[in-house]
Amino acid sequence: MKIIKSVAGAALLAGVALAAAQTAPEMAAQPAGGPVKGASYVVDPTHTFVMYEMGHYGTTTNRGRFSTKDGTIKIDGTGKSGKIDITMDIGSINTGVDLLNRHVLSKDFFNVAEFPVARFVADKIDFSGDKVSEVDGALTMMGQTRPVKLKANRFGCYLSPLIKRQVCGGDFETTVERSNWGITWGIPFGFEDKVRLLVQVEAVNITGGPG
């Protein structure tokens, strides 16, 4: 069953990518309620990214963004919790500066040669009404797993005019200390330990429901 869902999810995301590459239809997306009880969702990597912000000598903010490889979200039968499993492609980091890209990919920071991916797993999703409000999970990165709680700044679901499927997603954020994952370069001389993570997620309902 899991293999069937994976194949179905891959096929659906191929359709998402194809639709995104085409001209968007001249129609608005329609609201589609909240996440469907018992439904499975596949993360759309074309609309799911993580951005980090780290203070630089108490003045400006260093920023970077990396992409997701894949992910699944399962809403439980009550519609009030669920499970999340998302894998991030650390090697896709882009800071906008080539020299800095090479540095953050090195052993000083993410050591991508040894740890090419990170993984966020959650067994608890908190709802406020039909909207996700918080996610309690764990982030595995650099061989270390630490608890992370994501707070939703916005959340909603819509019926995609491109693929005729319900899509749910939102903007989430948290602040972590990178030293908890062994990333300590620069802390003594001006690169802050605290890092703000801004996460945008969209996921496609592959098991039916509204829309």
Side-chain angles (χ1 to χ4, degrees):
M1 182 67 175
K2 185 175 181 180
I3 294 176
I4 292 174
K5 286 186 177 180
S6 296
V7 171
L12 179 59
L13 288 182
V16 170
L18 178 61
Q22 297 172 341
T23 302
E26 294 182 0
M27 64 178 67
Q30 299 299 313
V36 177
K37 296 178 181 179
S40 293
Y41 292 76
V42 175
V43 169
D44 175 5
T46 66
H47 291 91
T48 305
F49 303 94
V50 179
M51 176 178 284
Y52 68 84
E53 297 181 344
M54 178 178 63
H56 181 244
Y57 290 104
T59 55
T60 57
T61 302
N62 278 348
R63 294 180 173 89
R65 189 179 87 162
F66 49 90
S67 305
T68 52
K69 291 176 69 67
D70 54 58
T72 57
I73 300 169
K74 172 69 175 179
I75 305 301
D76 72 9
T78 70
K80 297 301 180 183
S81 190
K83 296 184 178 182
I84 297 174
D85 191 340
I86 299 176
T87 300
M88 290 148 280
D89 179 8
I90 302 301
S92 68
I93 285 177
N94 186 358
T95 67
V97 180
D98 288 342
L99 181 62
L100 186 55
N101 287 344
R102 292 194 291 272
H103 193 194
V104 297
L105 290 171
S106 74
K107 290 184 177 180
D108 284 342
F109 283 94
F110 290 103
N111 191 10
V112 171
E114 188 173 351
F115 303 102
V117 299
R119 186 182 179 194
F120 179 77
V121 176
D123 292 322
K124 184 174 184 291
I125 303 174
D126 293 331
F127 282 77
S128 177
D130 63 356
K131 296 182 181 297
V132 175
S133 58
E134 288 186 343
V135 177
D136 287 305
L139 175 62
T140 299
M141 184 170 61
M142 303 281 290
Q144 305 288 329
T145 300
R146 298 287 183 267
V148 169
K149 178 180 284 190
L150 298 175
K151 180 181 179 180
N153 292 327
R154 69 163 72 188
F155 186 88
C157 299
Y158 65 93
L159 175 61
S160 170
L162 292 172
I163 59 173
K164 309 303 181 185
R165 289 271 185 164
Q166 184 201 43
V167 179
C168 294
D171 291 331
F172 298 79
E173 75 168 275
T174 191
T175 298
V176 300
E177 293 182 355
R178 58 189 174 97
S179 58
N180 287 333
W181 287 269
I183 306 173
T184 59
W185 190 92
I187 292 176
F189 54 85
F191 288 78
E192 295 177 5
D193 189 14
K194 288 187 176 181
V195 178
R196 184 185 182 206
L197 300 179
L198 300 169
V199 183
Q200 68 174 69
V201 180
E202 289 193 21
V204 181
N205 184 344
I206 63 171
T207 53

